[in-house]
Amino acid sequence: MSAARLPVRARIGAYVALTKPRIIELLLITTVPTMIVAERGLPSLWLIAATVWGGTMAAGGANAINMYVDRDIDRVMERTKGRPLVTGAMTPRAALTFAIALEIVAFLFLWATVNLLSAVLAVAACMFYVFVYTLWLKRTSSRNIVIGGTAGAVPTLIGWSSVTGTLDWAPVILFAIIFYWTPPHFWALAIRYRDDYASVDVPMLPVVESLRNTSVRILGYTLLLWALTVLFSPVAGMGHVYLGSAIVLGAVFTWYAVRLLRMQDPQVGVSGGGAATAEVEVRATAMRLFTWSITYITLLFGAMALDQLLRSGW
């Protein structure tokens, strides 16, 4: 069925899917707690709503452009065959028009309701995601997600600037936390879908490196992430609720990363039994790490917000 003949509800669903709502959820998980830390309490509900809505539109526009650019490989990869530009639920032109409109509205909305710095940061993140990650690095470099992850870390800066109108060291460390969280989070998923990425010549790290080398990188980034979350406590003046949570959550994340690494043998990339069976086990372990990484960032930023709300007497 052509896009024009789809029921209105289905067309609306296609536009929503184009924005990748699940990714936006992760971005918002970092934005609101950052605002609470910057405020040292609960900001006005209007400011929270305006920042979240503006950030949602900016991120949704960036994700829609990403789908527009990647529609050729999305047709091949099993994980992405259900996307609206692949199924025909939407035309490429409609998708691109929608994406650009979202970015324009997001910029104007954030400028009018929050401040210019937040608006500029939101659109800059979109530009980086589209031009640096999607159009340049994704199909040319195994460091694609490392550098490209910069865009996903910008919501922490947006959240902070929406409250203070400025930036300082605390939001910079928050930015670094998301920057170093992104590679182990995404590489774990890429291990599971390594064949998918290989089929379209996208050089994600697990495609061009052994599973062991990928796991070593995951552990390295996880340790850096853990250190940064602890460093954030004195820099931002956090309390015991946050610091205790950062230590415990980081320890669990590290345990998952170590477990993934210990399953493998340097020669074959996996340990024990047949290579095919062992690789299935490694992929399952990687998905458990991926799932935990989402839980981790949710609990970490939740603890951050709770810490400040308790200290402010809210």
Side-chain angles (χ1 to χ4, degrees), residues 14 21 36 40 48 58 67 71 83 85 97-98 167 173 177 183 202-203 218-219 231 242 245 247-248 250 280 305 314:
I36 292 172
R40 299 298 176 182
I48 292 175
M67 277 202 196
R71 64 191 187 279
R83 289 180 172 175
L85 289 177
T97 301
F98 172 69
L167 297 174
I173 294 176
I177 286 172
V202 172
I218 287 175
L219 178 57
L231 175 63
Y242 168 77
S245 299
I247 292 172
V248 172
V280 168
W314 184 80

Side-chain angles (χ1 to χ4, degrees), residues 240-264:
H240 297 303
V241 171
Y242 168 77
L243 181 58
S245 299
I247 292 172
V248 172
L249 293 172
V252 176
F253 204 151
T254 302
W255 178 81
Y256 272 104
V258 170
R259 185 182 179 194
L260 180 64
L261 178 60
R262 290 183 63 184
M263 290 183 69
Q264 301 166 59

Side-chain angles (χ1 to χ4, degrees), residues 25-50:
E25 287 174 12
L26 287 175
L27 300 180
L28 300 183
I29 283 170
T30 65
T31 303
V32 176
T34 298
M35 295 178 70
I36 292 172
V37 175
E39 182 69 28
R40 299 298 176 182
L42 189 66
S44 75
L45 295 181
W46 162 250
L47 181 61
I48 292 175

